[in-house]
Amino acid sequence: MVRHKDRADRATVEGVLDPRTRRILDRLMSNGYLHSMQGCISTGKEANVYHEEEEEELEVAIKIFKTSILVFKDREKYVMGDYRFRKGYSKNPRRMVSLWAEKEFRNLKRMYLAGVPCPRPLLFRSHVLIMEFLGEGGEAAPKLKDVKLDGQSWQESYRQTFLIMRLLFHDCKLVHGDLSEYNLVYVRRKVMVIDVGQSVGPDHPCSLEFLRKDAVNVRNFFSSKGIPVLPLRSFFELVVS
Ligand code: ADP
Ligand code: MN
């Protein structure tokens, strides 16, 4: 049922598509949520992301989380520290990986509803998350680390990223937790944020530590582009104030 672009794609697709995942995707297809899965956009440590083009205008990204033990250990602290998910904690890796997909889905939903520029979450089933595809003509939008801009546009992207951090903190009550030029993408001159599974609320014991790390990453990145940036302390304080 899964359609592939070519042989290379098929190998990557099948690399993660264990029978359970395949059943979930097949069910989504027979229910009409998906039509085909066209290409692998990214194979990461935590998840693989695929692109699919619907017959109509909607293009979706399909993020399939991995169940490997290593990743599992890493995620524990983000789940345990977050009161929304703590009670769902389980020693069962399958249960945990679907809790993680749910966490990313719910974080995305909160962000999207608050007007944070991010992909619109569509649905999740077990460890499979489906969201709006960011990009054009089947090409995923470039990460901020890969775009080439002039000084003025970097300045503007810096401003947009700062506003995203403030919106997240004040309106969504969330700290991204892995914010950097790798999880910010550039779509039609707009900075958008992705990869929000690890985002936590302000009550998480490490939330301010995560926010500080996010601020360091963002500030250093824009500083490396040669534009004037605020000193770290002011940057951090302006985000939280
Ligand atoms: P991870 O970093 O944990 O592997 P991400 O959510 O960052 O997972 O996704 C990996 C890559 O897949 C991103 O860097 C981006 O290139 C692509 N990607 C993720 N979500 C989307 C999306 N909604 N639209 C387009 N591309 C996406
Ligand atoms: Mn990422």
Side-chain angles (χ1 to χ4, degrees), residues 13 152 166 177:
V13 168
Q152 200 183 349
R166 267 191 69 87

Side-chain angles (χ1 to χ4, degrees), residues 13-23 64 67 127:
V13 168
E14 289 179 354
V16 280
L17 290 193
D18 57 289
R20 246 184 96 246
T21 307
R22 198 178 296 262
R23 273 200 302 279
I64 302 176
T67 8
H127 58 299

Side-chain angles (χ1 to χ4, degrees), residues 178 182-183 194-195:
D178 192 15
Y182 288 80
N183 285 327
I194 59 166
D195 206 0

Side-chain angles (χ1 to χ4, degrees), residues 198-221:
Q198 70 293 314
S199 304
V200 296
D203 59 305
H204 187 289
C206 305
S207 66
L208 286 182
E209 183 196 315
F210 293 159
L211 183 63
R212 191 170 293 275
K213 200 183 69 181
D214 287 354
V216 168
N217 291 342
V218 164
R219 193 192 155 276
N220 287 353
F221 173 71

Side-chain angles (χ1 to χ4, degrees), residues 60-218:
V60 302
I62 306 165
K63 184 167 178 178
I64 302 176
F65 291 91
K66 297 183 180 176
T67 8
S68 84
I69 287 301
L70 234 119
V71 176
F72 185 73
K73 271 275 148 220
D74 217 39
R75 286 180 187 146
E76 220 173 68
K77 67 172 186 252
Y78 295 97
V79 170
M80 288 304 281
D82 194 315
Y83 75 94
R84 296 173 296 164
F85 297 97
R86 197 178 300 138
K87 58 181 183 304
Y89 180 80
S90 153
K91 285 253 175 277
N92 176 348
R94 270 198 200 160
R95 173 71 197 114
M96 282 303 281
V97 76
S98 64
L99 190 66
W100 191 255
E102 177 180 349
K103 192 165 182 293
E104 174 145 6
F105 180 84
R106 284 173 51 184
N107 286 341
L108 261 187
K109 191 162 163 191
R110 202 192 280 190
M111 294 179 187
Y112 187 77
L113 291 176
V116 174
C118 65
R120 175 153 78 98
L122 297 169
L123 64 90
F124 72 93
R125 290 281 184 279
S126 180
H127 58 299
V128 176
L129 167 66
I130 301 184
M131 64 190 137
E132 174 191 0
F133 177 79
L134 303 180
E136 280 174 300
E139 283 276 326
K143 301 186 224 322
L144 220 44
K145 78 174 181 69
D146 295 322
V147 298
K148 303 246 178 308
L149 300 177
D150 60 26
Q152 200 183 349
S153 306
W154 278 124
Q155 188 70 50
E156 171 57 19
S157 303
Y158 171 56
R159 193 186 69 86
Q160 290 182 16
T161 306
F162 169 77
L163 289 177
I164 288 176
M165 291 178 77
R166 267 191 69 87
L167 261 179
L168 281 181
F169 192 78
H170 292 280
D171 295 21
C172 305
K173 311 277 181 255
L174 285 173
V175 169
H176 187 285
D178 192 15
L179 197 65
S180 75
E181 61 275 24
Y182 288 80
N183 285 327
L184 291 163
V185 298
Y186 198 65
V187 192
R188 290 184 260 338
R189 308 192 58 76
K190 237 175 93 175
V191 177
M192 299 186 75
V193 64
I194 59 166
D195 206 0
V196 303
Q198 70 293 314
S199 304
V200 296
D203 59 305
H204 187 289
C206 305
S207 66
L208 286 182
E209 183 196 315
F210 293 159
L211 183 63
R212 191 170 293 275
K213 200 183 69 181
D214 287 354
V216 168
N217 291 342
V218 164

